[in-house]
Amino acid sequence: MSWMRPWALALCLSTLGWGAAEAVDDPQMATPQDRQWLLPDLPPHPDDNVPSAARVELGKMLFFDARLSSERNLSCAGCHSPLYGWSDGLGTAKGFRSKVLGRASPTIVNAGYNTIQMWDGRRATLEHQAMGPMESMDEMAMNLDALFAWLAVNPAYRAAFAAAYPGEPIDKTTTSKAIAAFERTVVSNDSPFDRWLRGDRLAMTASQVKGFRLFTDPNKGNCAGCHQAPNFTDNGFHNIGLASYGQENPDVGRFAIKPVPSLKGAFKTPTLRDVALTAPYFHDGSATTLLEVVAHYNRGGAVRTNVSASVKPLSLSNDEMRDIVSFMEALTTPARPFTLPRLPAN
Amino acid sequence: MQFPQFHSRRAAAGAVVATATCLFAALPAQAAEHVLVQKGKAFSVKKLQVKVGDTVKFVNEDPFAHNVFSLSDAKSFDLGSFGQGGSKTITFDKPGTIEVECAVHPDMRMVIEVGK
């Protein structure tokens, strides 16, 4: 039987009813422990914003409507576009009159699963975050009084708000709730990795499975130390030693929100779901490819000032780095049809 | 060294010390050391009562970095970040309520009540 690998033998025995031996040694098969990475079908929602078709549809309209910006040319989707993995493909975002902003547009994919929002965690929930870009003079720069006055007299929007939040005013609360309800529908949980977790042992290649093992091994990649199950984030903040932190007056990130010295230069761990669609990478957009990202961590970062204790040289080989990249490429949920909203006339 | 999830020992003369993992000779009389573990992205207890002069040692048993800080009026401190197996100790020198957090993981919170 030397020609037969142990896991193959286990599978053969399994088909003969020897279930106890099933797949125990199959390196290609997900283990019960691996299934901690399976996401719930839907993100949690606040008690006062239970999702409904009307709320999601209203939120989608608002999300794609550039008339929510002062010059009526910049919508939420301008920076969080389904064409670019719900980001924008830019190193850092462009806001009001194409002003180049300091940070990359984070994807909204699976944002509903996160317990804290934005690169610096300044907003706890999607509801709290939704109005921020409209109010920022660097972004959509909207006069909210004018916005709500317009929404209130627009027949289609008035009807949509009434259907979504009957008896409630058209204001910041209902507008942000609707946008948040829509954002919670942007979910990636059917990638090759997810199918592999659910038992399809061939959904990932051998390289991708090896990459996953390297990703989670504390003595190898240790990526899962921060990109934790199930949404590939610890909802935490880390200074990862980017070169930009060594520049004069660097972006201090979380420290501006929580003035604790350890947090200088720390930013939130982003999800890696659909990450192959959201280049460039890091909060400053300084990495063009996923291989550059892994190589950065393999070096232990570029600037050691205030760097996280979790960032240190890894000694990964080139093949191992490629395996980890290959694994991250298995985190993309196949494209599904997406119907754009029909926006109300002026 | 494996610590239990939580323990404390008071160094009063003649007191029975349940565990012996540290030396107390340098501590003032009546001072105790309490050990809190950070594991599974959580502090081992949500609330801890100590007395003025007691120390609390935070031990990281997760395979990633944690931090301990507080911005409370009663005591503001930042013990910095430390990796697996690392620990930080702090002495509480006046009474009050101290909200302790991990700067890395905002979901990690606990409260220390310092009594006289």
Side-chain angles (χ1 to χ4, degrees):
Chain A
M1 284 283 229
S2 60
W3 50 270
M4 183 176 280
R5 294 175 186 272
W7 59 266
L9 172 61
L11 289 175
C12 291
L13 293 174
S14 174
T15 61
L16 295 171
W18 295 40
E22 185 177 1
V24 168
D25 296 324
D26 182 355
Q28 183 66 27
M29 185 72 104
T31 69
Q33 175 76 9
D34 294 335
R35 296 196 177 97
Q36 67 176 308
W37 291 87
L38 281 171
L39 278 166
D41 287 342
L42 294 172
H45 56 79
D47 292 342
D48 65 351
N49 195 23
V50 178
S52 67
R55 291 175 176 181
V56 170
E57 191 57 30
L58 171 62
K60 185 195 281 189
M61 291 160 61
L62 294 165
F63 190 89
F64 281 88
D65 198 333
R67 293 169 295 185
L68 272 61
S69 65
S70 60
E71 298 197 339
R72 301 163 77 88
N73 64 348
L74 191 59
S75 68
C76 305
C79 293
H80 306 281
S81 167
L83 301 175
Y84 298 100
W86 297 93
S87 182
D88 56 14
L90 299 172
T92 60
K94 288 186 177 179
F96 183 67
R97 295 181 180 170
S98 289
K99 177 179 180 179
V100 177
L101 306 180
R103 298 175 186 169
S105 299
T107 182
I108 64 162
V109 168
N110 289 2
Y113 293 97
N114 295 340
T115 57
I116 195 164
Q117 304 294 333
M118 305 183 71
W119 281 114
D120 56 16
R122 86 183 81 154
R123 295 285 186 267
T125 68
L126 292 173
E127 280 81 358
H128 288 136
Q129 185 278 333
M131 300 305 297
M134 282 178 248
E135 295 176 296
S136 168
M137 296 310 291
D138 283 337
E139 300 182 45
M140 296 163 78
M142 189 59 185
N143 178 322
L144 293 187
D145 290 338
L147 170 64
F148 296 129
W150 173 68
L151 291 171
V153 298
N154 183 288
Y157 266 123
R158 199 167 59 229
F161 270 94
Y165 299 99
E168 298 185 49
I170 298 175
D171 59 10
K172 288 170 71 168
T173 299
T174 47
T175 298
S176 59
K177 280 183 174 179
I179 292 173
F182 166 68
E183 289 175 325
R184 289 195 179 92
T185 68
V186 182
V187 167
S188 171
N189 64 359
D190 194 28
S191 65
F193 176 57
D194 295 299
R195 296 198 297 278
W196 180 78
L197 292 171
R198 293 194 290 262
D200 180 355
R201 60 184 297 280
L202 296 180
M204 290 209 297
T205 67
S207 169
Q208 289 169 332
V209 173
K210 186 179 175 192
F212 173 58
R213 298 302 177 207
L214 292 164
F215 185 94
T216 55
D217 186 342
N219 298 313
K220 296 298 292 185
N222 198 29
C223 317
C226 300
H227 294 283
Q228 294 177 352
N231 197 29
F232 289 84
T233 178
D234 57 357
N235 291 292
F237 299 86
H238 309 267
N239 181 324
I240 57 170
L242 295 179
S244 60
Y245 191 65
Q247 297 170 355
E248 195 173 350
N249 298 319
D251 186 345
V252 296
R254 178 69 169 164
F255 179 77
I257 308 303
K258 204 79 149 175
V260 178
S262 300
L263 289 171
K264 282 184 179 173
F267 293 83
K268 197 183 76 175
T269 308
T271 183
L272 299 182
R273 301 269 179 179
D274 281 4
V275 71
L277 305 178
T278 61
Y281 302 108
F282 295 138
H283 76 272
D284 61 0
S286 59
T288 305
T289 66
L290 289 172
L291 190 57
E292 285 181 34
V293 171
V294 178
H296 169 84
Y297 289 117
N298 201 35
R299 289 191 297 271
V303 171
R304 299 295 299 173
T305 306
N306 212 42
V307 74
S308 165
S310 297
V311 177
K312 49 196 172 191
L314 299 173
S315 303
L316 295 171
S317 69
N318 288 339
D319 283 347
E320 288 173 330
M321 288 198 292
R322 279 192 284 271
D323 287 334
I324 292 174
V325 170
S326 180
F327 164 63
M328 289 192 283
E329 291 170 344
L331 299 178
T332 306
T333 292
R336 290 175 289 214
F338 180 79
T339 305
L340 289 168
R342 174 169 287 178
L343 298 181
N346 285 325
Chain B
M1 180 181 291
Q2 293 295 313
F3 290 94
Q5 283 294 294
F6 164 71
H7 71 250
S8 65
R9 294 169 296 149
R10 193 153 297 282
V16 176
V17 178
T19 58
T21 55
C22 301
L23 296 174
F24 287 86
L27 294 176
Q30 302 297 324
E33 180 182 75
H34 309 261
V35 177
L36 285 183
V37 169
Q38 297 170 296
K39 189 171 186 179
K41 279 207 309 177
F43 290 103
S44 49
V45 295
K46 290 288 185 190
K47 193 164 188 175
L48 175 66
Q49 291 191 323
V50 304
K51 292 186 180 303
V52 170
D54 286 358
T55 62
V56 176
K57 181 177 184 178
F58 296 89
V59 181
N60 180 3
E61 292 190 359
D62 271 328
F64 42 82
H66 282 305
N67 161 281
V68 180
F69 83 96
S70 177
L71 298 178
S72 297
D73 292 339
K75 193 170 184 69
S76 179
F77 60 89
D78 178 14
L79 299 185
S81 298
F82 45 103
Q84 184 175 26
S87 65
K88 298 280 184 176
T89 300
I90 186 167
T91 301
F92 292 95
D93 44 17
K94 60 181 181 180
T97 300
I98 295 110
E99 295 176 353
V100 177
E101 302 177 48
C102 169
V104 179
H105 306 104
D107 295 338
M108 285 179 63
R109 294 165 176 267
M110 57 93 57
V111 173
I112 296 177
E113 295 279 1
V114 184
K116 290 180 180 175

